[in-house]
Structure formats: C-alpha cells, structure tokens
Amino acid sequence: MTSGLWELVLRGVWVTVQLLFLSALLATAVSFVAGVARTHRLWIVRFLAGFYTEVFRGTSALVMIFWVFFVLPPAFGWQLVPMWAGTLALGLTYGAYGAEIVRGALAAVDPAQKEGGIALGFTPWQRMRLILLPQAVPEMIPPFSNLLVELLKGTALVSVMGMGDLAFSGNLVRLALQESAEIYTYVLLIYFVIAFLLTRGMRGLEKKLKAGVGEAVPKRGAVTAEPAGTGGVR
C-alpha cells in the first residue's frame, strides 16, 4: 500500500481507539449504576434497572446504532455526530451486559460480610462502598475483560454511519486497491493487537486489585491441590 493509504488506515485506528475509550467509559458507568440498582432494597429500583438490562440485552447493537443515529433526530429535532451516536448506542448496549456482571459479583460476596457491616452499624451505602465493592470488583475484571474485547469488535458496526473507523477505512482501501485478502488481513491483525493489549492490561489490573484484598491470581492452566481427604485436585 502507498503511504497515503496507510495514513487512512491509521486514522481509522485512531477513530476506533477513541470510540472504544468513550463507549467503555459510558458502559462502565452504566454497568455499576444498573448493577448496583439490581441489588437495591426497593423493588421499583430493581424493576427499572432490570427493565433497562433486558431491553438493551435483547436488542441488536447494530439496530440500536441505526435508532440513535436515524430515528432520534426527527423525533427530537437534533442530530448527534457519528462519534457520539456510536458512543451512546454501544455504551448503553454493552453497559446492560456489564450490569449483570456487577450484579453477579455483588451477589457472590459472602453474606457474612454484609451481616458484619450491619452489625457494625454501617449504612447500606457504607456497606456497598467499604465492604461489598472492594471484594466484588476484582472478580468482575475477567468478565469485564471479555466484554471490553467484545466492545472493541462492536465498534466496527459504526461503519454503517459512514464513520471513518478501522473497518470503514479498511473497506475504502480495499476499493482503491481492488485487493481484499491483503487489506483485511492487516485489519484483522490490527484488531488482534489492540485486543491483546487490552487483555494484558486487564490482567495486570486484576492482579493489582486482588493483591489489594490479599488474594492471588492463579496462573493460567494451573491446578490447585485440595486439602487432604477431599479427593484429588481441581
């Protein structure tokens, strides 16, 4: 490829990284708000959080992008630029999946921890902030890592809006060169490199958070010996 075509691809990479960062921030915020709300003592809060989760998990991210970019403008009289439309659609969609990760991690915390907070006279918010979240967050990192990689791959959907992300730029280069194998191989490799860096970064974050609560991260493929008399290894 010529330098001009490589520059087009690199601009697409930069747009993809920006979109990934912004939509991941929104998805993280939504995940924690909705996930914590799923455990709230008031049924109406749990219902609203559950309704949001089911709606956005049950709809296509591609259709949601169409809806945000093409349906909202005539309905409300304003137009989102492609970057913000993509961020909103992807952030809300993947945030619904993240909400279930948060809810599941909070539910997995030993009930005795919560009971201890009640015995100490902590308010619900204090129990959540000081006891439950510090123990639940490290357990959220592996599924959040998977979700982040899925979000990276989902950013390719914004090309339907004509947004110059990596997938859109790769297609333009393909049309210019009339060569599919070469350019799409490059695009695949770029997505893989970004995903690999994301997973390694999340792995490091998991180790740091678990070290903060006195837990060790097991090495991949390692087996853990059972205490004597429990029957082997797992």
Side-chain angles (χ1 to χ4, degrees):
M1 290 193 298
T2 64
S3 59
L5 293 178
W6 271 116
E7 183 179 349
L8 179 62
V9 172
L10 292 177
R11 283 202 301 266
V13 173
W14 174 236
V15 170
T16 293
V17 170
Q18 290 182 82
L19 179 61
L20 174 65
F21 177 75
L22 293 173
S23 54
L25 283 181
L26 177 59
T28 301
V30 170
S31 296
F32 277 91
V33 171
V36 171
R38 293 292 304 273
T39 67
H40 201 276
R41 63 183 184 277
L42 296 179
W43 73 268
I44 185 63
V45 177
R46 296 196 305 271
F47 172 79
L48 292 175
F51 179 77
Y52 153 76
T53 302
E54 294 303 324
V55 168
F56 280 87
R57 284 198 310 168
T59 53
S60 165
L62 178 60
V63 175
M64 189 59 64
I65 290 174
F66 282 138
W67 201 86
V68 171
F69 192 66
F70 296 110
V71 177
L72 286 182
F76 295 96
W78 44 263
Q79 177 71 59
L80 287 172
V81 298
M83 175 64 78
W84 295 116
T87 297
L88 183 61
L90 293 174
L92 291 177
T93 299
Y94 286 89
Y97 292 97
E100 282 299 284
I101 295 174
V102 173
R103 183 198 62 78
L106 290 173
V109 176
D110 189 345
Q113 300 290 328
K114 181 178 179 181
E115 294 168 2
I118 295 174
L120 291 172
F122 287 176
T123 65
W125 169 241
Q126 287 175 323
R127 294 197 299 270
M128 180 65 66
R129 181 171 59 90
L130 300 175
I131 299 175
L132 299 180
L133 281 176
Q135 297 181 67
V137 168
E139 303 303 324
M140 300 177 194
I141 300 302
F144 265 130
S145 178
N146 290 334
L147 189 62
L148 187 59
V149 173
E150 288 298 318
L151 176 57
L152 168 64
K153 293 185 286 186
T155 59
L157 297 174
V158 301
S159 60
V160 300
M161 299 184 293
M163 187 173 173
D165 71 312
L166 176 57
F168 186 82
S169 299
N171 189 52
L172 291 181
V173 175
R174 181 188 67 83
L175 293 174
L177 296 178
Q178 293 298 308
E179 176 60 53
S180 299
E182 178 184 2
I183 182 56
Y184 282 133
T185 299
Y186 288 139
V187 170
L188 282 174
L189 289 174
I190 292 171
Y191 274 116
F192 171 77
V193 169
I194 297 174
F196 179 79
L197 294 175
L198 290 174
T199 54
R200 300 312 299 173
M202 293 294 282
R203 182 73 172 174
L205 178 61
E206 181 188 3
K207 290 181 179 179
K208 183 176 180 180
L209 291 175
K210 287 198 171 184
V213 294
E215 296 182 24
V217 179
K219 294 182 179 180
R220 292 182 180 178
V223 294
T224 304
E226 294 281 3
T230 58
V233 297
R234 55 179 174 152

